[in-house]
């Protein structure tokens, strides 16, 4: 009978996820959970929306450098009313007006980024019908060309051409970072649930073992081999084990709901998580992580963009101070006739050249103040970027060190778990044989539980550090390639 009890006791010691399996069980690994979160989570959908927004902003920017063609018109321009008419003697008479003044215009515009100027063209046809006098007139511009050139002014097109591509590249890398941030977040939820499942398994196993040991202890008590105090101690352990089972079930339900909600799993299937293993073959060098981070991260692109924006602001402040001028030149043909076709026969040439000036005479140092403010902001931005670069580097160096420490820590906790499990097994056997006190068995019992939890916590720290490293460098150190998403 004693051998049978021992065998049953030893079979209950090991933790196995099979306790959770069943017909309505969904078994998931860490990579599967990460991929589900990247596909289905609200955070993933938000990242895609931001990516699309930045793409269309980029398309809008590109369109500023493409030819623009627009058709405008007044069709019809019908009017029947009384209007005031100034007479030669200075008096005003109100005369009836009944006409249709319609027009159609097609305009062409092309910006020139190098100079900030604009080439434009137009063709126009106007038709005027006087219903009272039964008169029809046409006026038109067969074609006209013009050029507008700001002189000594800020060229926004030139600076946008430098900065907007940086913003677009920054947004593309920010999307990859958002995906990797999802990995970090869902890893937390994964291990919260995994630890809850481990705790529930431990609690169930401990309750079962405590009940069996109590059965053995009752037999010993009846034989007079142990005192009543040990029975009371085991009964207390049984009550504590029952409470632990209830607490573990509650924690597992909460962790399951959190994970299910984040990764977007619907249904009532029980989720069972596979225990992940460490990536032992992966080696991470600080120099490699720094190289990839400065090549891939949106922050690295933002460093360049922020300096460019500061220089742009200086150029804008200087361009809007002092003498400003705009040159406008037009060349084309126009004509008027009694029918539409005659408008295009022998049109008369028209030209115009205009130079518009603006010279501040007295501004009490306003122009100089704006320029100096922009220059001071440029210096501040330069220093801030240098500080952010140092912080960026330090964060990466710290994370690499932490990751390597987590690898070593995981190996130690794995060894500790094996030793604690073996110690608990031996202690249980010795207690059944009668040469170990209940206090020593309780200590071995607690050490075994703590070692299992410590191992899961070390796994959580390792994989959290791993995904944090991916996020900081946007580099896959398992596959030795840059991280990309479609």
């Amino acid at each position: 009978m004693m051998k049978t009890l021992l065998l049953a006791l030893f079979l209950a010691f090991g933790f196995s996820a099979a306790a959770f399996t069943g017909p309505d069980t969904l078994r998931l690994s860490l990579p599967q959970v990460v991929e589900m979160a990247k596909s289905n989570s609200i955070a993933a959908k938000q990242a895609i929306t931001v990516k699309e927004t930045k793409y269309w902003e980029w398309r809008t920017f590109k369109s500023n450098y493409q030819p623009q063609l627009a058709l405008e018109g007044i069709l019809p321009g019908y009017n029947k009313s009384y209007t005031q008419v100034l007479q030669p003697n200075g008096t005003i008479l109100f005369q009836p007006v009944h006409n249709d003044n319609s027009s159609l215009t097609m305009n062409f515009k092309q910006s020139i980024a190098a100079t900030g100027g604009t080439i434009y063209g137009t063709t126009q046809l106007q038709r005027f019908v006087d219903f009272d006098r039964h008169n029809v007139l046409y006026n038109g511009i067969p074609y006209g060309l013009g050029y507008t050139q700001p002189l000594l002014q800020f060229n926004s097109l030139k600076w946008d051409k430098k900065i907007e591509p940086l913003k677009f590249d920054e947004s593309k890398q920010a999307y990859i970072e958002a995906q990797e941030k999802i990995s970090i977040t869902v890893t937390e939820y994964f291990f919260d649930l995994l630890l809850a499942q481990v705790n529930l398994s431990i609690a169930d196993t401990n309750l079962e073992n405590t009940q069996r040991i109590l059965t053995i202890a009752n037999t010993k008590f009846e034989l007079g081999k142990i005192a009543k105090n040990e029975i009371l101690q085991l009964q207390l352990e049984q009550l504590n084990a029952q409470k632990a089972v209830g607490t573990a079930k509650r924690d597992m339900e909460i962790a399951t709901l959190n994970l299910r909600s984040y990764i977007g799993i619907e249904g009532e299937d029980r989720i069972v998580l596979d225990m992940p293993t460490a990536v032992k073959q992966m080696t991470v060098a600080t120099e490699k992580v720094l190289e990839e981070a400065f090549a891939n991260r949106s922050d690295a692109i933002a460093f360049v963009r922020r300096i460019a924006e500061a220089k742009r602001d200086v150029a804008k402040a200087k361009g809007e101070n002092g003498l400003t001028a705009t040159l406008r030149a037009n060349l084309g043909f126009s004509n008027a006739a009694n029918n539409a076709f005659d408008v295009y026969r022998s049109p008369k040439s028209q030209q115009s050249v205009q130079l518009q000036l603006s010279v501040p005479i007295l501004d009490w140092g306003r122009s100089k103040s704006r320029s100096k403010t922009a220059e001071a902001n440029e210096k501040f931005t330069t220093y801030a970027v240098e500080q952010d670069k140092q912080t960026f580097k330090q964060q990466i160096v710290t994370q690499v060190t932490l990751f390597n420490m987590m690898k070593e820590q995981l190996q130690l906790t794995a060894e500790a778990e094996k030793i604690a499990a073996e110690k608990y097994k031996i202690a249980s056997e010795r207690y059944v044989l009668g040469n170990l006190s209940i206090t020593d068995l309780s200590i071995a019992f607690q050490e075994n539980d703590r070692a299992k939890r410590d191992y899961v916590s070390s796994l959580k720290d390792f994989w959290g550090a791993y995904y944090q490293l991916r996020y900081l460098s946007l580099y896959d150190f398992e596959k030795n390639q840059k991280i990309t998403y479609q």
Side-chain angles (χ1 to χ4, degrees):
M1 179 179 178
M2 187 66 69
K3 292 182 179 180
T4 303
L5 289 172
L6 282 174
L7 179 60
L9 185 62
F10 292 155
L11 288 175
F13 289 149
F15 164 70
S16 173
F20 296 109
T21 59
D24 298 327
T25 297
L26 180 62
R27 181 176 291 276
L28 297 173
S29 65
L30 178 58
Q32 288 174 325
V33 169
V34 169
E35 290 304 316
M36 293 174 73
K38 290 179 180 179
S39 301
N40 303 325
S41 67
I42 298 298
K45 295 174 182 178
Q46 290 175 332
I48 292 174
T49 302
V50 172
K51 178 186 176 183
E52 291 176 351
T53 301
K54 295 299 181 181
Y55 170 76
W56 290 113
E57 288 178 357
W58 167 254
R59 287 288 299 272
T60 302
F61 155 75
K62 293 286 286 184
S63 69
N64 294 333
Y65 300 84
Q66 303 300 322
Q68 307 292 318
L69 191 63
L71 181 65
E72 301 175 0
I74 300 175
L75 297 171
Y78 181 79
N79 181 31
K80 185 178 181 181
S81 65
Y82 280 84
T83 185
Q84 64 180 24
V85 179
L86 182 65
Q87 302 299 306
N89 60 3
T91 62
I92 292 176
L93 291 179
F94 290 94
Q95 299 289 345
V97 174
H98 186 195
N99 59 40
D100 177 56
N101 191 5
S102 301
S103 63
L104 194 64
T105 304
M106 181 172 288
N107 294 319
F108 163 84
K109 183 174 68 173
Q110 172 66 65
S111 300
I112 302 174
T115 64
T118 303
I119 297 175
Y120 57 89
T122 185
T123 179
Q124 178 182 343
L125 182 63
Q126 181 180 4
R127 181 177 182 267
F128 180 81
V129 181
D130 190 338
F131 295 107
D132 291 330
R133 297 166 184 81
H134 305 288
N135 190 21
V136 179
L137 294 175
Y138 288 88
N139 180 48
I141 301 175
Y143 69 87
L145 296 175
Y147 182 71
T148 301
Q149 178 59 58
L151 303 175
L152 306 175
Q153 294 185 44
F154 172 69
N155 185 352
S156 61
L157 291 173
K158 179 181 177 181
W159 282 100
D160 286 348
K161 205 168 186 178
K162 293 180 179 179
I163 294 173
E164 292 300 324
L166 292 173
K167 285 185 177 180
F168 185 55
D169 291 341
E170 189 178 346
S171 70
K172 289 190 290 186
Q173 299 309 109
Y175 172 71
I176 301 176
E177 291 172 9
Q179 292 288 333
E180 292 305 305
K181 194 70 174 178
I182 291 172
S183 301
I184 297 173
T185 303
V186 78
T187 299
E188 290 282 334
Y189 287 123
F190 177 91
F191 279 100
D192 286 346
L193 177 55
L194 182 63
L195 184 58
Q197 290 181 349
V198 169
N199 284 336
L200 179 57
S201 177
I202 290 173
D204 285 335
T205 302
N206 289 343
L207 177 59
E208 184 178 353
N209 290 343
T210 301
Q211 290 172 340
R212 292 179 178 176
I213 291 176
L214 180 59
T215 301
I216 297 172
N218 285 328
T219 302
K220 289 184 176 182
F221 179 73
E222 292 175 359
L223 297 175
K225 293 183 177 181
I226 60 174
K228 180 67 174 179
N229 185 53
E230 286 196 25
I231 298 297
L232 295 175
Q233 180 65 35
L234 286 171
Q235 289 175 347
L236 181 61
E237 293 286 347
Q238 183 181 22
L239 291 174
N240 290 334
Q242 290 173 342
K243 289 170 56 180
V245 169
T247 301
K249 286 182 178 179
R250 180 203 63 191
D251 293 344
M252 193 179 76
E253 287 298 322
I254 294 174
T256 300
L257 288 174
N258 290 337
L259 180 64
R260 189 188 297 275
S261 174
Y262 188 79
I263 64 179
I265 294 181
E266 297 181 355
E268 300 297 329
D269 292 344
R270 181 188 294 273
I271 298 177
V272 176
L273 303 180
D274 291 333
M275 186 80 69
T277 58
V279 184
K280 298 180 180 179
Q281 299 82 5
M282 185 175 61
T283 57
V284 178
T286 303
E287 294 76 12
K288 178 64 175 177
V289 180
L290 285 172
E291 177 186 348
E292 294 298 333
F294 276 99
N296 304 330
R297 282 287 301 278
S298 65
D299 288 343
I301 301 174
F303 295 149
V304 180
R305 189 253 308 160
R306 289 164 61 188
I307 295 296
E309 288 178 337
K311 292 181 181 296
R312 176 202 60 191
D313 293 342
V314 172
K316 183 178 181 180
K318 291 181 177 180
E320 294 177 349
N321 293 334
L323 171 64
T324 60
T326 301
L327 176 65
R328 293 184 176 88
N330 297 283
L331 172 65
F333 293 86
S334 63
N335 203 359
N338 292 325
N339 61 72
F341 293 104
D342 288 342
V343 171
Y344 297 93
R345 292 174 182 172
S346 302
K348 308 301 185 292
S349 65
Q350 61 176 14
Q351 303 89 27
S352 68
V353 177
Q354 184 183 59
L355 181 62
Q356 183 178 351
L357 301 175
S358 176
V359 183
I361 303 300
L362 183 63
D363 66 355
W364 304 100
R366 178 185 299 174
S367 299
K368 182 178 180 180
S369 297
R370 282 191 288 206
S371 297
K372 292 298 183 181
T373 300
E375 291 173 355
N377 287 334
E378 181 188 7
K379 289 182 180 179
F380 180 83
T381 301
T382 301
Y383 299 146
V385 167
E386 288 301 318
Q387 180 62 55
D388 291 344
K389 282 183 179 179
Q390 294 298 325
T391 304
F392 185 72
K393 291 179 182 178
Q394 187 59 46
Q395 185 181 17
I396 291 172
V397 171
T398 302
Q399 190 60 38
V400 173
T401 303
L402 180 63
F403 175 76
N404 291 328
M405 289 176 58
M406 289 301 101
K407 284 183 64 176
E408 297 177 1
Q409 191 71 18
L410 184 59
Q411 294 175 356
L412 295 175
T413 53
E415 290 296 324
E417 192 219 0
K418 292 179 182 178
I419 294 173
E422 182 67 21
K423 181 180 178 182
Y424 179 47
K425 183 178 180 180
I426 295 173
S428 300
E429 181 180 357
R430 289 181 58 192
Y431 179 80
V432 171
L433 295 176
N435 57 358
L436 188 72
S437 67
I438 187 65
T439 301
D440 292 334
L441 177 62
S442 179
I443 293 173
F445 174 84
Q446 294 172 8
E447 289 176 347
N448 183 49
D449 291 352
R450 185 167 54 250
K452 289 182 181 295
R453 295 188 181 96
D454 287 347
Y455 178 70
V456 177
S457 296
S458 294
L459 271 176
K460 179 180 181 180
D461 293 340
F462 171 82
W463 283 105
Y466 168 73
Y467 282 112
Q468 185 72 24
L469 204 60
R470 282 174 55 107
Y471 167 75
L472 290 176
S473 62
L474 301 187
Y475 189 81
D476 190 334
F477 293 93
E478 290 184 87
K479 299 179 180 179
N480 290 321
Q481 63 184 27
K482 297 181 185 295
I483 299 173
T484 58
Y485 293 95
Q486 297 297 327

